[in-house]
Amino acid sequence: MLKDQKIVLTGDRPTGKLHLGHFVGSIKNRIDLQDKVDMSFYMVADIQALTDNANNPDKIRSNVLEVALDNLACGLDPKKTTMFIQSEVPEIAELTVLFLNLVTLARLKRNPTVKGEMKQKGFEENVPTGFLIYPISQAADILFCHGNIVPVGEDQKPMIEQTNEIVEDFNRFYGETFKKVKHLIGDTPRLIGVDGNSKMSKSLNNCIYLSDSYEEISKKVMDMYTDPNHIHVNDPGKIEGNVVFTYLDIFDDNKEEVEELKKQYEKGGLGDVVIKKRLIEVLEKIIAPIRARREEFAKNPEAVMKILEDGTKKAREVATSTMLEVRKAVKIDYF
Ligand code: TRP
């Protein structure tokens, strides 16, 4: 029984290339988990991406390949992880319709992530229905394959809570069918953007992408905010709120040296350029191999699409079998 296995499901919306925030928030966990669990699924969430991009199908279509490339470049292995496209598994939509009956409108409106996104997008009362209900659709994304481990960024926690409420109600109404789901959040659940103000996010234009060139990384780091009062090398500098040190703390393996640099910086005598140059090298060491693998995969987009096609076939087999179970439980298994 699938229900007794460790099954990972995770996904990305194909709305743009992925960045370092995705990497530390969830991709690292995905890569790590694929060797440790019974099954692992990775979904390109094109249907979810359309919920607030209904008028821009070209954007979603072209980014399907980009997010697949980013994940492959980071080390997702199609032999271990079934990579598939959400819209090509219509059983997910079918399951969503059944789940819709288990969630009230009031509950959906309380979801803090959706609330925040609605505000950011200025939707208010004119929110597209599909967007408002995407947490329900996300529960179906996870449960169609009996996923029970979901490596995601911190912002996705409310989706997991919603999923578990659906599991509870479904099992209560229709008999024990689904297992509760656990989220797994990376060591850095909320990476601050290069602007130092908010979470790294494409819409805020404060990202370092996994596909950035050395020159792009250098420019972004050189423009980083440090301490506005640290004007001359000999001025004492502040560590708190200093994005360069925040990043060094996260990405630099040599913690001792970073601590030493912090002391020097606070005392005075350490210039911004020195720490920025160090950070550029630290980030380049992480991104260079990803970039190189990405370029390799990108040479053959047909092969990447074939990976998604094969994965989708596999995902559909699982989905078909789950839907048989679900239809029986809900007593809509007529013929
Ligand atoms: N909502 C996720 C994001 O914006 C993407 C996603 C869709 C997802 N379905 C999922 C993540 C199921 C985990 C599980 O990044």
Side-chain angles (χ1 to χ4, degrees):
M1 279 299 275
L2 284 185
K3 267 185 289 182
D4 302 321
Q5 302 191 356
K6 280 192 179 159
I7 301 175
V8 171
L9 180 123
T10 180
D12 295 305
R13 291 185 197 181
T15 51
K17 291 179 179 180
L18 303 181
H19 51 64
L20 272 179
H22 294 111
F23 185 67
V24 290
S26 70
I27 299 179
K28 271 167 90 175
N29 272 338
R30 297 174 188 172
I31 309 297
D32 182 46
L33 279 168
Q34 63 181 351
D35 292 311
K36 298 183 178 158
V37 296
D38 299 301
M39 272 201 248
S40 163
F41 292 90
Y42 168 77
M43 183 182 70
V44 182
D46 60 341
I47 293 285
Q48 188 176 109
L50 282 166
T51 61
D52 62 337
N53 287 282
N55 59 351
N56 204 351
D58 290 329
K59 170 174 152 192
I60 308 307
R61 177 67 184 245
S62 60
N63 279 305
V64 168
L65 183 65
E66 299 299 335
V67 295
L69 282 172
D70 281 326
N71 277 276
L72 288 165
C74 289
L76 210 68
D77 178 350
K79 288 196 207 78
K80 299 173 186 161
T81 297
T82 301
M83 299 176 72
F84 69 97
I85 301 179
Q86 185 184 24
S87 62
E88 293 284 348
V89 183
E91 289 79 5
I92 295 176
E94 202 182 334
L95 194 54
T96 302
V97 171
L98 294 172
F99 288 171
L100 281 170
N101 302 330
L102 307 178
V103 184
T104 66
L105 194 55
R107 173 66 181 88
L108 281 174
K109 286 186 177 165
R110 277 203 308 272
N111 182 310
T113 302
V114 175
K115 240 178 163 171
E117 286 172 324
M118 275 171 63
K119 204 164 169 194
Q120 197 195 343
K121 293 173 205 291
F123 282 151
E124 299 190 20
E125 280 304 301
N126 292 319
V127 57
T129 317
F131 183 80
L132 187 66
I133 67 155
Y134 91 73
I136 304 181
S137 157
Q138 190 157 331
D141 298 341
I142 298 169
L143 296 174
F144 91 88
C145 61
H146 290 285
N148 46 36
I149 306 170
V150 187
V152 282
E154 195 174 40
D155 61 317
Q156 298 295 303
K157 238 163 107 176
M159 310 304 158
I160 306 300
E161 281 158 18
Q162 179 71 81
T163 302
N164 281 331
E165 287 172 31
I166 290 173
V167 167
E168 265 175 35
D169 281 342
F170 193 99
N171 289 350
R172 189 152 40 87
F173 294 166
Y174 309 121
E176 198 63 27
T177 309
F178 294 112
K179 263 202 342 197
K180 287 274 182 75
V181 172
K182 280 200 195 80
H183 62 269
L184 199 76
I185 291 178
D187 348 315
T188 309
R190 251 181 89 89
L191 181 66
I192 192 123
V194 292
D195 58 358
N197 289 324
S198 336
K199 194 181 93 164
M200 188 174 279
S201 158
K202 183 174 26 88
S203 51
L204 298 173
N205 209 4
N206 61 1
C207 303
I208 294 180
Y209 290 97
L210 296 170
S211 44
D212 272 354
S213 65
Y214 182 76
E215 290 68 32
E216 283 165 319
I217 298 172
S218 306
K219 170 144 192 4
K220 289 174 185 178
V221 172
M222 281 306 185
D223 287 346
M224 269 181 181
Y225 172 92
T226 53
D227 170 3
N229 296 320
H230 187 247
I231 300 163
H232 307 289
V233 174
N234 288 325
D235 292 342
K238 255 175 67 180
I239 305 297
E240 221 186 273
N242 187 322
V243 196
V244 180
F245 277 109
T246 307
Y247 275 52
L248 284 173
D249 274 336
I250 298 168
F251 296 106
D252 196 325
D253 287 335
N254 197 332
K255 303 293 172 214
E256 269 172 41
E257 273 182 33
V258 173
E259 285 313 311
E260 203 46 51
L261 287 171
K262 281 186 193 168
K263 271 189 215 146
Q264 268 186 46
Y265 193 81
E266 278 180 318
K267 214 164 41 176
L270 181 60
D272 283 350
V273 174
V274 177
I275 53 167
K276 285 183 169 175
K277 287 218 159 127
R278 180 179 179 111
L279 180 58
I280 292 168
E281 296 314 314
V282 163
L283 293 179
E284 173 64 6
K285 203 173 137 208
I286 295 169
I287 291 180
I290 298 176
R291 189 196 302 128
R293 275 197 302 267
R294 199 183 196 286
E295 279 165 11
E296 251 341 278
F297 280 112
K299 281 185 193 152
N300 196 350
E302 292 80 19
V304 177
M305 290 313 287
K306 183 76 172 70
I307 289 173
L308 292 173
E309 190 182 352
D310 291 348
T312 301
K313 271 190 204 131
K314 228 171 121 183
R316 269 208 91 173
E317 280 168 25
V318 176
T320 309
S321 127
T322 302
M323 280 319 290
L324 281 175
E325 241 179 298
V326 165
R327 285 180 156 269
K328 202 165 160 210
V330 185
K331 304 196 190 302
I332 51 172
D333 55 335
Y334 300 103
F335 312 117

